[in-house]
Amino acid sequence: MAGESAPARRRDRDEQGRARNARPRDGLGRPLPYGAPGVARQPEGVPRTPAESLTEAQRLLDAGMPFHAHEVLEDAWKTAPEAERELWRGLAQLAVGLTHAARGNAVGGATLLDRGAAAVEAYADAAPHGIDIAGLLVWARELSGRLTGPEAAAAPVAAADTAPRLRTAAD
């Protein structure tokens, strides 16, 4: 009937009652319609060692799922010792930068890649946990340049083909 609005949808909540979007998501974390098949989300608050976090994040990056890798790295950031928080935050930002680039958002991708690179660069002299800071800086700057440079392509990047190596080959 004219003038009537659709019934308000109740906000999705998790088992603890916290607001949590229950819509399924694709491999790049984009919401899909309710009922659509999606990619399993990474559980939040999973306690992992730094090595476990890096291994899981790398697996997800290699699978072309940088949004999901970001969730793993965000957990590590939230639980890291104060001296390493910026490192883990920067790694999460790099994963989000790749997510944006894979979604075709060149400006957002470059912004997050540059921000993440700036955060991890502070750890270049003493990279903890075998993290390849030098390699990540080269990767982030190269991809950011590809996204915003004069030869920038409008097409999204292939996340799996563009994923960085988080650790040195020896680790």
Side-chain angles (χ1 to χ4, degrees):
M1 190 174 259
E4 289 184 22
S5 61
R9 180 168 177 87
R10 292 185 144 211
R11 192 166 190 187
D12 297 331
R13 304 247 174 224
D14 66 12
E15 298 80 34
Q16 288 78 36
R18 293 180 302 226
R20 178 124 16 225
N21 191 322
R23 285 175 61 184
R25 295 190 177 258
D26 71 5
L28 292 175
R30 292 176 290 219
L32 299 169
Y34 285 98
V39 173
R41 295 176 88 163
Q42 288 298 303
E44 290 185 41
V46 174
R48 295 181 181 96
T49 66
E52 290 168 336
S53 294
L54 291 166
T55 297
E56 181 63 5
Q58 189 68 62
R59 182 188 72 76
L60 292 163
L61 288 167
D62 292 345
M65 298 176 16
F67 177 82
H68 301 277
H70 137 269
E71 291 178 328
V72 170
L73 295 166
E74 189 175 79
D75 268 350
W77 160 26
K78 291 176 180 178
T79 60
E82 187 64 35
E84 291 184 9
R85 287 223 173 109
E86 283 301 301
L87 169 69
W88 292 100
R89 183 173 71 95
L91 292 172
Q93 289 171 328
L94 292 176
V96 173
L98 178 55
T99 300
H100 283 292
R103 290 176 176 177
N105 177 0
V107 173
T111 298
L112 269 296
L113 289 165
D114 294 344
R115 193 177 298 157
V120 301
E121 188 169 26
Y123 298 86
D125 291 338
H129 314 295
I131 297 172
D132 185 6
I133 300 295
L136 287 169
L137 291 173
V138 169
W139 169 82
R141 290 176 178 146
E142 188 276 330
L143 181 54
S144 179
R146 278 181 33 208
L147 295 172
T148 60
E151 310 276 322
V157 302
D161 295 340
T162 311
R165 301 298 316 153
L166 296 175
R167 292 188 274 189
T168 59
D171 291 320

